[in-house]
Amino acid sequence: MRIVLLLCFFLLFLNCEDKQSKKKTIPNFEVQKSTKKEASKVTYEEPKREFPKLNSKSAMEFFLEYDKHHKENKVRITTDFGAIDILLYNETRFHRSNFIFLTKQKYFNDTQFYRVIDNFIVQAGNSDDKKTARKRAYIGKYLLPADTKRGFKHDRGVISMPSSDIDNPHKLASPFEFFIVCQKGGAHFLDGDYTIFGRVIRGMDVVDKIAAVETEEGDWPLVNIFIKNVEIIE
Protein backbone atom coordinates (compact mmCIF):
# COMPACT_ATOMS: atom_id res chain seq x y z
CA MET A 1 0.00 0.00 0.00
CA ARG A 2 2.83 2.35 0.89
CA ILE A 3 4.46 1.58 -2.46
CA VAL A 4 1.24 2.43 -4.32
CA LEU A 5 0.97 5.77 -2.54
CA LEU A 6 4.58 6.65 -3.31
CA LEU A 7 4.06 5.77 -6.96
CA CYS A 8 0.95 8.01 -7.18
CA PHE A 9 2.78 10.87 -5.54
CA PHE A 10 5.69 10.55 -7.97
CA LEU A 11 3.40 10.59 -11.00
CA LEU A 12 1.60 13.69 -9.69
CA PHE A 13 4.91 15.53 -9.21
CA LEU A 14 6.03 14.78 -12.79
CA ASN A 15 2.72 16.07 -14.18
CA CYS A 16 3.02 19.45 -12.35
CA GLU A 17 6.61 19.87 -13.48
CA ASP A 18 5.60 19.32 -17.12
CA LYS A 19 2.85 21.96 -16.90
CA GLN A 20 5.24 24.53 -15.48
CA SER A 21 7.69 23.94 -18.33
CA LYS A 22 4.96 24.49 -20.94
CA LYS A 23 4.07 28.00 -19.68
CA LYS A 24 5.11 30.67 -22.24
CA THR A 25 6.93 33.79 -21.12
CA ILE A 26 5.83 36.88 -23.06
CA PRO A 27 8.67 39.41 -23.29
CA ASN A 28 7.90 43.13 -22.87
CA PHE A 29 8.46 44.84 -26.23
CA GLU A 30 6.75 48.13 -25.31
CA VAL A 31 9.01 51.12 -25.83
CA GLN A 32 8.90 53.52 -22.94
CA LYS A 33 7.92 56.96 -24.20
CA SER A 34 9.53 59.88 -22.47
CA THR A 35 7.07 62.26 -20.92
CA LYS A 36 9.61 65.09 -21.10
CA LYS A 37 9.49 67.25 -24.20
CA GLU A 38 12.79 68.63 -25.30
CA ALA A 39 12.62 72.36 -25.69
CA SER A 40 13.49 73.43 -29.19
CA LYS A 41 16.63 75.48 -29.08
CA VAL A 42 15.95 78.77 -30.84
CA THR A 43 18.87 81.16 -30.86
CA TYR A 44 18.66 84.74 -32.07
CA GLU A 45 21.66 86.84 -32.78
CA GLU A 46 21.42 90.54 -33.48
CA PRO A 47 22.99 91.48 -36.80
CA LYS A 48 26.56 92.58 -36.38
CA ARG A 49 27.04 96.33 -36.58
CA GLU A 50 29.21 97.69 -39.36
CA PHE A 51 30.42 100.41 -37.02
CA PRO A 52 30.34 101.12 -33.28
CA LYS A 53 27.63 103.27 -31.79
CA LEU A 54 29.17 106.73 -31.70
CA ASN A 55 29.39 109.27 -28.91
CA SER A 56 31.25 112.56 -28.58
CA LYS A 57 34.31 110.81 -27.12
CA SER A 58 34.62 108.13 -29.79
CA ALA A 59 33.48 110.10 -32.85
CA MET A 60 36.76 111.94 -33.48
CA GLU A 61 38.86 108.78 -33.45
CA PHE A 62 36.28 107.01 -35.60
CA PHE A 63 36.22 109.72 -38.28
CA LEU A 64 40.01 110.07 -38.19
CA GLU A 65 40.25 106.42 -39.23
CA TYR A 66 37.24 106.69 -41.56
CA ASP A 67 38.95 109.54 -43.41
CA LYS A 68 41.84 107.23 -44.36
CA HIS A 69 39.60 104.81 -46.25
CA HIS A 70 36.76 106.97 -47.60
CA LYS A 71 38.06 109.74 -49.84
CA GLU A 72 34.84 110.61 -51.69
CA ASN A 73 34.10 114.33 -51.76
CA LYS A 74 31.17 114.95 -54.12
CA VAL A 75 27.53 114.25 -53.31
CA ARG A 76 24.19 114.84 -54.95
CA ILE A 77 21.19 115.87 -52.85
CA THR A 78 17.95 115.11 -54.67
CA THR A 79 14.99 117.09 -53.34
CA ASP A 80 11.36 117.68 -54.26
CA PHE A 81 12.57 120.83 -56.04
CA GLY A 82 15.50 119.31 -57.94
CA ALA A 83 19.10 118.17 -57.45
CA ILE A 84 21.97 119.98 -55.70
CA ASP A 85 25.57 118.86 -56.23
CA ILE A 86 28.05 119.64 -53.47
CA LEU A 87 31.84 119.49 -53.25
CA LEU A 88 33.06 118.61 -49.75
CA TYR A 89 36.35 120.15 -48.58
CA ASN A 90 39.19 117.79 -47.68
CA GLU A 91 40.57 120.44 -45.31
CA THR A 92 37.68 119.89 -42.90
CA ARG A 93 38.20 116.14 -42.85
CA PHE A 94 36.13 115.27 -39.79
CA HIS A 95 33.09 117.07 -41.15
CA ARG A 96 33.61 115.76 -44.69
CA SER A 97 34.00 112.21 -43.36
CA ASN A 98 30.93 112.63 -41.20
CA PHE A 99 28.81 113.71 -44.18
CA ILE A 100 30.10 110.84 -46.34
CA PHE A 101 29.47 108.39 -43.50
CA LEU A 102 25.90 109.57 -42.97
CA THR A 103 25.31 109.48 -46.73
CA LYS A 104 26.43 105.86 -46.90
CA GLN A 105 24.17 105.05 -43.95
CA LYS A 106 21.29 106.67 -45.89
CA TYR A 107 20.56 108.89 -42.93
CA PHE A 108 19.56 111.94 -44.97
CA ASN A 109 17.02 110.12 -47.10
CA ASP A 110 13.47 111.25 -46.17
CA THR A 111 14.67 114.09 -43.97
CA GLN A 112 13.52 117.63 -44.81
CA PHE A 113 14.52 121.21 -45.37
CA TYR A 114 12.86 122.37 -42.19
CA ARG A 115 14.11 125.94 -41.93
CA VAL A 116 14.17 128.32 -44.87
CA ILE A 117 14.87 132.04 -44.89
CA ASP A 118 14.78 133.76 -48.25
CA ASN A 119 18.06 135.45 -49.19
CA PHE A 120 19.79 133.94 -46.14
CA ILE A 121 19.94 130.16 -45.62
CA VAL A 122 18.12 126.86 -46.11
CA GLN A 123 18.66 124.28 -43.38
CA ALA A 124 18.07 120.52 -43.61
CA GLY A 125 18.75 117.10 -42.10
CA ASN A 126 15.90 116.69 -39.64
CA SER A 127 12.27 115.54 -39.67
CA ASP A 128 9.25 114.94 -37.43
CA ASP A 129 9.21 111.35 -38.69
CA LYS A 130 10.05 108.86 -35.94
CA LYS A 131 12.18 106.99 -38.47
CA THR A 132 14.69 109.84 -38.40
CA ALA A 133 14.90 109.67 -34.60
CA ARG A 134 15.48 105.91 -34.80
CA LYS A 135 18.29 106.42 -37.31
CA ARG A 136 19.97 108.90 -34.99
CA ALA A 137 19.60 106.59 -32.01
CA TYR A 138 21.19 103.73 -33.95
CA ILE A 139 24.13 105.80 -35.22
CA GLY A 140 24.76 107.44 -31.86
CA LYS A 141 24.60 110.76 -30.07
CA TYR A 142 27.64 112.91 -30.71
CA LEU A 143 28.86 116.40 -31.62
CA LEU A 144 31.84 117.50 -33.70
CA PRO A 145 34.23 120.30 -32.73
CA ALA A 146 34.10 123.48 -34.75
CA ASP A 147 36.76 123.79 -37.45
CA THR A 148 36.58 127.44 -38.47
CA LYS A 149 40.19 128.46 -39.16
CA ARG A 150 40.65 127.04 -42.66
CA GLY A 151 40.18 130.36 -44.43
CA PHE A 152 36.67 129.58 -45.70
CA LYS A 153 33.98 132.22 -45.45
CA HIS A 154 30.20 132.03 -45.52
CA ASP A 155 29.93 133.06 -49.15
CA ARG A 156 26.79 132.38 -51.12
CA GLY A 157 26.60 128.66 -51.93
CA VAL A 158 28.71 127.23 -49.10
CA ILE A 159 27.46 124.36 -46.96
CA SER A 160 28.04 124.72 -43.24
CA MET A 161 27.23 122.77 -40.10
CA PRO A 162 25.00 124.37 -37.43
CA SER A 163 25.87 124.08 -33.78
CA SER A 164 23.74 122.29 -31.25
CA ASP A 165 21.65 124.79 -29.31
CA ILE A 166 21.53 122.71 -26.13
CA ASP A 167 24.21 123.40 -23.47
CA ASN A 168 26.81 124.16 -26.09
CA PRO A 169 28.96 127.19 -25.24
CA HIS A 170 31.74 126.02 -27.57
CA LYS A 171 29.39 125.82 -30.58
CA LEU A 172 30.08 122.14 -31.20
CA ALA A 173 28.63 121.09 -34.53
CA SER A 174 25.39 119.13 -34.85
CA PRO A 175 26.53 116.36 -37.24
CA PHE A 176 23.12 115.34 -38.61
CA GLU A 177 22.19 118.74 -40.00
CA PHE A 178 23.54 121.29 -42.45
CA PHE A 179 22.68 124.64 -43.98
CA ILE A 180 23.41 126.25 -47.34
CA VAL A 181 23.98 130.00 -47.61
CA CYS A 182 21.87 131.59 -50.32
CA GLN A 183 22.32 135.23 -49.30
CA LYS A 184 23.60 137.44 -52.11
CA GLY A 185 27.01 138.71 -51.09
CA GLY A 186 27.31 136.01 -48.45
CA ALA A 187 26.53 135.89 -44.72
CA HIS A 188 29.98 136.66 -43.35
CA PHE A 189 28.74 137.53 -39.86
CA LEU A 190 28.52 133.73 -39.42
CA ASP A 191 32.27 133.32 -40.02
CA GLY A 192 34.15 131.91 -37.05
CA ASP A 193 31.07 130.39 -35.44
CA TYR A 194 30.13 127.57 -37.81
CA THR A 195 32.18 125.06 -39.77
CA ILE A 196 32.11 125.43 -43.55
CA PHE A 197 32.80 122.01 -45.08
CA GLY A 198 31.78 122.33 -48.73
CA ARG A 199 30.07 124.35 -51.44
CA VAL A 200 27.39 123.94 -54.07
CA ILE A 201 28.86 123.29 -57.52
CA ARG A 202 25.52 122.82 -59.31
CA GLY A 203 21.93 123.54 -58.37
CA MET A 204 21.94 126.94 -56.68
CA ASP A 205 18.74 127.65 -58.60
CA VAL A 206 17.18 124.77 -56.65
CA VAL A 207 18.46 126.25 -53.38
CA ASP A 208 16.87 129.60 -54.29
CA LYS A 209 13.54 127.91 -55.09
CA ILE A 210 13.56 126.23 -51.69
CA ALA A 211 14.42 129.50 -49.95
CA ALA A 212 11.53 131.31 -51.67
CA VAL A 213 8.68 129.14 -50.35
CA GLU A 214 6.24 130.61 -47.86
CA THR A 215 6.92 129.88 -44.20
CA GLU A 216 5.18 129.99 -40.88
CA GLU A 217 6.59 131.32 -37.61
CA GLY A 218 9.88 129.64 -36.85
CA ASP A 219 10.82 129.64 -40.56
CA TRP A 220 9.23 126.24 -41.12
CA PRO A 221 8.10 126.00 -44.78
CA LEU A 222 4.37 125.66 -45.36
CA VAL A 223 5.06 122.95 -47.94
CA ASN A 224 7.08 119.82 -47.21
CA ILE A 225 10.48 119.85 -48.89
CA PHE A 226 11.86 116.34 -48.64
CA ILE A 227 15.32 115.08 -49.38
CA LYS A 228 14.55 112.07 -51.50
CA ASN A 229 18.10 110.80 -51.72
CA VAL A 230 21.70 111.73 -51.02
CA GLU A 231 24.26 109.83 -53.05
CA ILE A 232 27.99 109.93 -53.63
CA ILE A 233 28.88 110.92 -57.20
CA GLU A 234 32.66 111.01 -56.82
Side-chain angles (χ1 to χ4, degrees):
M1 185 67 181
R2 182 179 294 176
I3 294 172
V4 174
L5 290 173
L6 287 173
L7 183 60
C8 290
F9 179 79
F10 181 72
L11 291 171
L12 181 63
F13 175 79
L14 288 176
N15 187 47
C16 289
E17 185 73 9
D18 183 62
K19 287 181 178 180
Q20 288 292 329
S21 65
K22 290 181 179 179
K23 285 183 178 179
K24 293 182 179 180
T25 302
I26 302 175
N28 183 12
F29 286 110
E30 184 179 357
V31 178
Q32 298 249 344
K33 294 182 179 179
S34 174
T35 57
K36 295 181 179 179
K37 295 182 178 179
E38 293 186 4
S40 58
K41 296 180 180 179
V42 179
T43 58
Y44 173 76
E45 293 183 2
E46 290 187 0
K48 292 183 179 179
R49 296 180 63 101
E50 297 178 11
F51 55 88
K53 190 170 185 176
L54 300 179
N55 56 49
S56 291
K57 291 183 178 179
S58 66
M60 293 299 290
E61 183 178 351
F62 174 81
F63 288 119
L64 183 63
E65 185 65 25
Y66 196 86
D67 176 71
K68 296 176 182 178
H69 308 285
H70 301 267
K71 298 297 185 180
E72 303 93 336
N73 66 351
K74 288 182 182 178
V75 298
R76 176 166 295 152
I77 302 172
T78 302
T79 76
D80 288 331
F81 284 57
I84 307 165
D85 290 353
I86 291 175
L87 170 69
L88 303 175
Y89 296 148
N90 293 322
E91 291 85 344
T92 50
R93 56 180 177 174
F94 293 109
H95 301 74
R96 181 200 65 79
S97 296
N98 172 77
F99 201 88
I100 292 295
F101 169 71
L102 293 180
T103 296
K104 290 186 175 183
Q105 298 305 313
K106 300 187 183 302
Y107 165 75
F108 295 112
N109 296 3
D110 300 321
T111 58
Q112 292 176 258
F113 282 88
Y114 63 90
R115 184 185 181 211
V116 299
I117 305 175
D118 195 16
N119 195 32
F120 181 37
I121 64 163
V122 294
Q123 188 163 324
N126 208 343
S127 171
D128 289 335
D129 193 335
K130 292 181 179 179
K131 183 168 59 177
T132 300
R134 288 196 295 268
K135 286 180 184 179
R136 290 192 180 201
Y138 181 77
I139 292 168
K141 184 179 180 180
Y142 63 100
L143 298 173
L144 294 177
D147 190 355
T148 60
K149 298 181 179 180
R150 302 289 178 179
F152 302 123
K153 297 186 179 298
H154 282 85
D155 298 326
R156 171 176 161 83
V158 301
I159 179 171
S160 188
M161 193 170 289
S163 61
S164 171
D165 58 355
I166 302 175
D167 190 21
N168 189 14
H170 301 292
K171 293 188 178 295
L172 298 178
S174 178
F176 296 103
E177 300 173 38
F178 62 91
F179 65 88
I180 301 172
V181 176
C182 57
Q183 182 171 327
K184 295 177 177 64
H188 298 137
F189 63 92
L190 300 176
D191 295 347
D193 288 336
Y194 306 99
T195 300
I196 299 164
F197 63 98
R199 64 181 174 85
V200 175
I201 55 177
R202 187 178 73 87
M204 272 307 294
D205 58 325
V206 176
V207 175
D208 290 335
K209 286 178 185 177
I210 293 172
V213 302
E214 292 187 22
T215 61
E216 60 184 19
E217 292 182 8
D219 304 317
W220 187 277
L222 291 176
V223 296
N224 290 327
I225 309 169
F226 283 99
I227 295 177
K228 297 179 178 179
N229 185 46
V230 178
E231 60 184 322
I232 296 168
I233 55 177
E234 188 177 325

